[in-house]
């Protein structure tokens, strides 16, 4: 299994506080049979500029790699980030913010309202040859209330990610996105070892039981393709329909 969204780098965001905590989280990932991880600390244009962020991320990564037990785990690592959506993405060089060596870029959206310029910015990113991975899509009420908005972005080439924790909690939006073939990626978004811990194996087991092994293979293959920087297979989308006020 591969985890493409987690906050394990030490002392850089609201995830791991220090190297000891990062090591504990990585050991748990290993226990969960995770073989490769992309580290995706939060990046917000309003808080830090890109160059400074990349420097801070590199320092944090090096601090983590200086712990001998980390390499002994035999997990492959890649750097990435979780970018808080901004129309500034239109004027920013995207390559340094992508998952290392790929054209995939992890973007989180506001949870209150659909941001101004969302469609324009995502389409521009696609036109520039990059592929947005939309973080934890189950969290955005404007997509839950009108899933066609998300459906259209996926049809245009965006990748929709859902959180392992949401699946395990039985989050209705997350499960509907799986049912409609819209969810393409499951990640932990792990922040710590208590409330938001690494839990990919549990989520995959849940999906296997509820939807069957093909779904697990599909999620796993997508994660591998993105980690490698290959194209992900086109999703088998089932367009949501609103019947008597309910999306089915
Ligand atoms: Fe996150």
């Amino acid at each position: 299994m591969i985890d493409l969204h987690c906050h394990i780098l030490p002392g850089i965001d609201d995830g791991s506080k220090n190297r000891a905590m990062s090591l504990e989280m990585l050991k748990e990932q290993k226990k969960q049979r995770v073989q490769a991880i992309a580290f995706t600390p939060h990046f917000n244009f309003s808080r830090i500029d890109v160059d400074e962020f990349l420097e801070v991320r590199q320092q944090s990564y090096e601090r983590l790699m200086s712990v001998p037990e980390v390499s002994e785990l035999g997990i492959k690592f890649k750097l990435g980030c979780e970018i808080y959506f901004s129309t500034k993405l239109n004027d920013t060089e995207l390559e340094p913010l992508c998952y290392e060596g790929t054209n995939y870029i992890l973007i989180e959206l506001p949870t209150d309202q659909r941001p101004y310029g969302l469609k324009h910015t995502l389409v521009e990113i696609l036109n520039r040859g990059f592929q947005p991975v939309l973080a934890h899509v189950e969290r955005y009420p404007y997509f839950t209330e009108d899933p066609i908005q998300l459906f259209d972005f996926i049809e245009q080439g965006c990748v929709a990610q859902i959180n392992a924790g949401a699946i395990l909690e039985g989050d209705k939006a997350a499960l509907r996105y799986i049912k409609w073939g819209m969810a393409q990626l499951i990640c932990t978004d792990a922040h710590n070892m208590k409330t938001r811990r690494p839990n990919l194996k549990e989520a995959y087991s849940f999906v296997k039981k509820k939807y069957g092994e093909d779904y697990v293979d599909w999620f796993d293959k997508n994660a591998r393709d993105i980690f490698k920087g290959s194209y992900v297979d086109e999703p088998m989308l089932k367009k949501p329909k609103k019947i008597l006020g309910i999306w089915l």
Side-chain angles (χ1 to χ4, degrees):
M1 288 181 291
I2 294 185
D3 190 9
L4 294 176
H5 181 173
C6 60
H7 302 266
I8 293 181
L9 285 188
I12 186 168
D13 59 12
D14 57 342
S16 169
K17 288 185 172 56
N18 50 47
R19 285 182 291 187
M21 188 168 162
S22 301
L23 181 61
E24 213 189 327
M25 290 171 81
L26 287 174
K27 281 183 177 167
E28 183 58 32
Q29 291 275 35
K30 176 85 183 175
K31 226 194 257 176
Q32 300 259 336
R33 306 226 182 105
V34 170
Q35 298 154 323
I37 294 173
F39 297 123
T40 54
H42 290 289
F43 167 71
N44 190 322
F45 283 99
S46 65
R47 291 192 196 139
I48 190 167
D49 70 39
V50 174
D51 289 342
E52 203 184 329
F53 168 75
L54 295 173
E55 208 180 300
V56 171
R57 185 183 66 173
Q58 184 61 28
Q59 286 164 1
S60 171
Y61 180 70
E62 283 169 18
R63 274 203 310 279
L64 181 60
M65 291 306 131
S66 71
V67 179
E69 288 147 290
V70 169
S71 55
E72 287 162 15
L73 292 169
I75 301 173
K76 278 188 203 158
F77 300 122
K78 205 167 241 208
L79 287 171
C81 62
E82 180 181 14
I83 304 164
Y84 192 76
F85 176 83
S86 165
T87 51
K88 283 193 181 148
L89 282 162
N90 293 310
D91 316 308
T92 301
E93 199 196 332
L94 299 179
E95 193 257 323
L97 295 171
C98 289
Y99 291 113
E100 252 182 317
T102 82
N103 287 334
Y104 292 98
I105 184 161
L106 181 67
I107 300 172
E108 95 173 299
L109 307 180
T111 50
D112 49 359
Q113 56 180 353
R114 182 175 158 130
Y116 167 79
L118 179 62
K119 186 175 177 186
H120 172 81
T121 305
L122 292 181
V123 169
E124 269 305 296
I125 291 171
L126 288 161
N127 288 341
R128 289 163 71 189
F130 296 91
Q131 224 166 334
V133 176
L134 302 176
H136 34 63
V137 289
E138 71 278 4
R139 281 197 197 164
Y140 312 124
Y142 38 94
F143 286 163
T144 312
E145 283 154 23
D146 180 7
I148 299 299
Q149 290 188 29
L150 178 60
F151 185 92
D152 288 345
F153 287 135
I154 295 167
E155 270 205 321
Q156 288 173 73
C158 292
V159 174
Q161 180 254 306
I162 50 176
N163 276 4
I167 295 173
L168 293 169
E169 285 160 15
D171 181 283
K172 279 189 189 146
L175 300 184
R176 284 195 311 182
Y177 291 143
I178 295 177
K179 190 178 87 180
W180 293 324
M182 289 163 70
Q184 289 147 285
L185 203 56
I186 302 173
C187 301
T188 66
D189 195 9
H191 279 65
N192 53 52
M193 281 299 289
K194 284 184 182 145
T195 50
R196 301 174 78 183
R197 61 176 193 85
N199 53 0
L200 204 51
K201 193 175 152 204
E202 285 109 309
Y204 272 45
S205 302
F206 181 98
V207 170
K208 191 175 166 182
K209 254 188 230 155
K210 193 168 167 73
Y211 302 96
E213 193 139 20
D214 287 354
Y215 277 81
V216 172
D217 293 345
W218 152 254
F219 285 120
D220 186 48
K221 184 177 182 305
N222 289 342
R224 281 172 199 280
D225 285 342
I226 292 173
F227 193 81
K228 278 189 293 190
S230 316
Y231 284 110
V232 285
D233 290 341
E234 269 187 41
M236 302 268 281
L237 294 169
K238 196 175 146 213
K239 197 164 189 168
K241 281 187 193 138
K242 199 173 193 178
I243 298 167
L244 300 173
I246 299 167
W247 286 102
L248 295 169

